[in-house]
Amino acid sequence: MSSVLYDAPGPRAKRRNVIVSVIFFVLLALLVWFVWRTMDEKGQLEWALWKPFTESPAWTTYLLPGLADTLTAAALAMVIALPLGAFFGIARLSDHRWVRLPAAWVVEFFRAIPVLLLMLFANEFYNRWTDVSSEQRPLYAVVTGLVLYNASVLAEVVRAGILSLPKGQSEAAMAIGLRKSQTMRTILLPQAVTAMLPAIVSQLVVIVKDTALGGVMIGFTELLNARATLAAFYANVIPSFVVVAVIYIVLNFILTSFASWLEKRLRRSKRGTGAVLSAEDMEELNPAATGGTFGTGAGGSI
Amino acid sequence: MFDFLSDYNDPTLLGAFWMTVKLTFFSAIGSMILGTVLAAMRVSPVPLMRGFGTAYVNIVRNIPLTVIIIFTSLGLADIFGVTMGASDFGVRGFRLAILGFVAYTAAFVCEAIRSGINTVPMGQAEAARAIGLTFTQTLRLIILPQALRSVIGPLANVLIALTKNTTVAAAIGVAEAAYLMKTMIENEAETVLIGAVFAFGFVVLTLPTGLFLGWLSKRLAVKR
């Protein structure tokens, strides 16, 4: 589409493009120079501040344990949220009103509430009513918050995945006399899971990003929290932010690339029905196809 | 039963939610403007601008919002002295938080608008070119007006996500809903009740937004 917005450049357009490019380049260069100069003025470019990252203690003492905690929480949240999400997604498709409605309420409720509130609540809940040790509590709280929110998002993904299958699939199953549960288990779910895989992987990015909330607000020792400890030790605020941001970018970029690779592969393969859900599809599907009762929440990765 | 709610004056419950609304409002306007500019860059004929737009979106989308917000306070304000012209600590946090939300949300607005541009049929752009409109004219007069109408749905999702994301401002001490909830929940015994009050507050904020914009997107959708 983007190439349709303009013609293949002729001599005049080429000249104009070069002029605009040069102006834009100069502006960008000015910006970079300005940032560089400011950092230099504030002494943030001194090698002493960046040197720790070339040696192992900064990594083994701070960053890697933090990253490990981030990944642990994300993995736990994903593993617990998936079956829970599948359960609620299927429940929302039930033929019985008394199953469909409560499931819809639960899903829409938890999608409307910020993850941070869920984490704060869970943290206090474990503190008051359970004997989870205080070292373990932040992890529990972070995972609980992430599970509640992401299970409801994944429920919508599952629902969209099942709805994206051609109608003929369940009609054929009905025709050969399968029961509803059999149709769901043997016909719809296996195909839907394939179609949903890219959207599920993209949701992991959201989970990884949200673990950072636990670090700041309830003292979970994840990557962003580890950065604070590291910066306090080496007195290098800006470099520590840059390094941590780069770690997040690389990690999430790998996940996003994997999701889009998976999506392309699934679209190509002949075994599926051709229905594949990407993260963007979910955003578009949300209001229309999945027609949430509240119409709230972002299904996409934000 | 709700006695404890009136014990808090800085901020009050309504004040805290009003702060959440203000954060959302200003961030939404800012990210809408920046997001549209980024989207225009991403489809522009100049490769350098396309590259910049793509890089911005891919980098910013993959950084946790929390990292960005904390950076505005510890990095921008404390180290570089960027205080957005505010001397008061509360105002400073408010403005810095908006800066962070705009930078982050613009990437998602950009992607939504770009997906909207893709829904406009090719023939429209071809016809615009055929009658001799330039790229800027095509985008401004033909493509964007149609694209914006078709992305109200996705943009509504971004706005609702932004409303929920403003809670992150609590991390740099902005006295909004999550900040008050954290204070309350640590001091009061009614944990469940407090949770319910704040959950209700957010349902009240996001529910009408979602319903209204969902209705609007159906009403304004370009019928093809």
Side-chain angles (χ1 to χ4, degrees):
Chain A
M1 179 63 198
S2 56
S3 58
V4 187
L5 288 171
Y6 44 86
D7 282 305
R12 262 181 65 201
K14 265 187 189 147
R15 211 164 39 231
R16 203 172 50 227
N17 282 356
V18 168
I19 294 171
V20 176
S21 297
V22 167
I23 294 173
F24 191 68
F25 180 80
V26 168
L27 286 177
L28 266 187
L30 272 177
L31 183 75
V32 170
W33 176 78
F34 175 74
V35 171
W36 188 266
R37 205 199 54 180
T38 322
M39 281 186 54
D40 198 26
E41 263 173 22
K42 305 285 176 185
Q44 293 300 317
L45 289 176
E46 278 162 37
W47 179 236
L49 301 186
W50 294 84
K51 192 162 171 274
F53 299 109
T54 63
E55 295 160 347
S56 68
W59 292 89
T60 51
T61 325
Y62 303 100
L63 295 176
L64 291 180
L67 184 62
D69 269 6
T70 292
L71 293 177
T72 313
L76 276 176
M78 197 64 186
V79 169
I80 304 171
L82 252 182
L84 207 62
F87 174 79
F88 278 103
I90 293 169
R92 283 198 76 171
L93 288 169
S94 164
D95 288 338
H96 307 291
R97 227 179 125 79
W98 57 272
V99 177
R100 205 168 56 219
L101 281 185
W105 290 334
V106 170
V107 168
E108 296 293 344
F109 178 73
F110 284 113
R111 280 205 319 162
I113 300 174
V115 193
L116 180 55
L117 295 198
L118 294 173
M119 283 182 188
L120 287 176
F121 180 80
N123 192 38
E124 193 60 26
F125 180 86
Y126 288 126
N127 184 22
R128 261 177 226 271
W129 286 295
T130 62
D131 42 8
V132 177
S133 70
S134 55
E135 297 99 67
Q136 288 291 309
R137 206 192 310 132
L139 174 68
Y140 274 64
V142 166
V143 172
T144 311
L146 289 176
V147 162
L148 290 176
Y149 176 72
N150 288 288
S152 50
V153 172
L154 287 170
E156 291 301 272
V157 176
V158 169
R159 202 158 74 102
I162 292 174
L163 287 175
S164 73
L165 296 173
K167 240 181 130 194
Q169 299 285 337
S170 44
E171 281 168 0
M174 217 189 292
I176 58 169
L178 293 186
R179 275 182 280 112
K180 268 191 309 189
S181 57
Q182 284 176 315
T183 312
M184 186 58 79
R185 207 177 53 237
T186 61
I187 311 284
L188 296 180
L189 263 189
Q191 298 183 71
V193 165
T194 325
M196 289 167 341
L197 270 179
I200 291 175
V201 176
S202 323
Q203 193 59 30
L204 255 174
V205 175
V206 182
I207 298 184
V208 167
K209 288 198 291 184
D210 280 348
T211 53
L213 279 173
V216 185
M217 298 301 283
I218 51 179
F220 181 44
T221 53
E222 49 68 68
L223 194 52
L224 184 58
N225 201 342
R227 183 217 66 81
T229 332
L230 181 145
F233 185 75
Y234 292 109
N236 53 354
V237 176
I238 301 295
S240 69
F241 265 113
V242 172
V243 170
V244 164
V246 168
I247 296 176
Y248 276 115
I249 293 168
V250 169
L251 181 63
N252 289 334
F253 186 73
I254 293 172
L255 286 174
T256 335
S257 314
F258 178 61
S260 56
W261 173 81
L262 205 60
E263 194 191 326
K264 265 196 206 108
R265 209 190 128 100
L266 289 174
R267 277 195 207 285
R268 256 205 335 261
S269 82
K270 294 197 175 67
R271 279 169 56 211
T273 53
V276 181
L277 284 179
S278 65
E280 281 85 36
D281 288 337
M282 266 310 293
E283 270 175 45
E284 280 155 31
L285 268 173
N286 247 329
T290 61
T293 43
F294 288 3
T296 55
S301 37
I302 183 162
Chain B
M1 188 164 92
F2 287 97
D3 298 341
F4 65 90
L5 287 177
S6 51
D7 293 346
Y8 291 82
N9 295 318
D10 192 34
T12 58
L13 183 67
L14 278 182
F17 270 105
W18 178 236
M19 182 61 102
T20 299
V21 173
K22 279 197 291 186
L23 282 172
T24 312
F25 179 77
F26 290 116
S27 310
I29 290 176
S31 50
M32 191 65 204
I33 295 169
L34 184 58
T36 314
V37 173
L38 282 171
M41 277 187 184
R42 285 202 73 174
V43 296
S44 84
V46 184
L48 193 64
M49 285 183 163
R50 278 207 303 273
F52 176 78
T54 315
Y56 183 92
V57 168
N58 282 327
I59 289 175
V60 171
R61 275 206 306 184
N62 285 329
I63 304 178
L65 176 63
T66 323
V67 174
I68 296 176
I69 295 297
I70 300 281
F71 177 78
T72 60
S73 177
L74 296 184
L76 284 184
D78 291 354
I79 304 281
F80 295 129
V82 181
T83 52
M84 313 281 291
S87 49
D88 179 54
F89 186 76
V91 181
R92 191 190 93 172
F94 176 72
R95 293 186 184 168
L96 287 172
I98 289 177
L99 184 72
F101 291 133
V102 168
Y104 181 78
T105 317
F108 294 90
V109 171
C110 167
E111 285 306 89
I113 292 179
R114 206 168 64 101
S115 79
I117 290 178
N118 286 330
T119 66
V120 181
M122 275 194 189
Q124 301 264 343
E126 283 168 352
R129 268 165 44 204
I131 59 169
L133 297 187
T134 62
F135 168 76
T136 334
Q137 284 172 326
T138 313
L139 200 63
R140 193 164 50 87
L141 299 171
I142 313 285
I143 306 296
L144 273 185
Q146 298 186 65
L148 285 178
R149 284 168 70 170
S150 68
V151 291
I152 294 176
L155 281 182
N157 280 340
V158 174
L159 178 65
I160 288 164
L162 171 65
T163 312
K164 295 188 288 177
N165 279 342
T166 54
T167 50
V168 181
I172 57 170
V174 179
E176 46 71 74
Y179 180 85
L180 182 63
M181 170 166 167
K182 188 175 157 65
T183 324
M184 271 192 188
I185 215 165
E186 275 164 7
N187 298 329
E188 305 291 334
E190 292 94 338
T191 310
V192 177
L193 206 58
I194 294 171
V197 166
F198 282 92
F200 177 74
F202 273 95
V203 172
V204 166
L205 282 184
T206 54
L207 182 92
T209 320
L211 286 179
F212 172 69
L213 289 174
W215 170 80
L216 201 66
S217 75
K218 279 202 194 91
R219 217 189 118 94
L220 290 185
V222 184
K223 303 279 187 306
R224 295 208 165 85

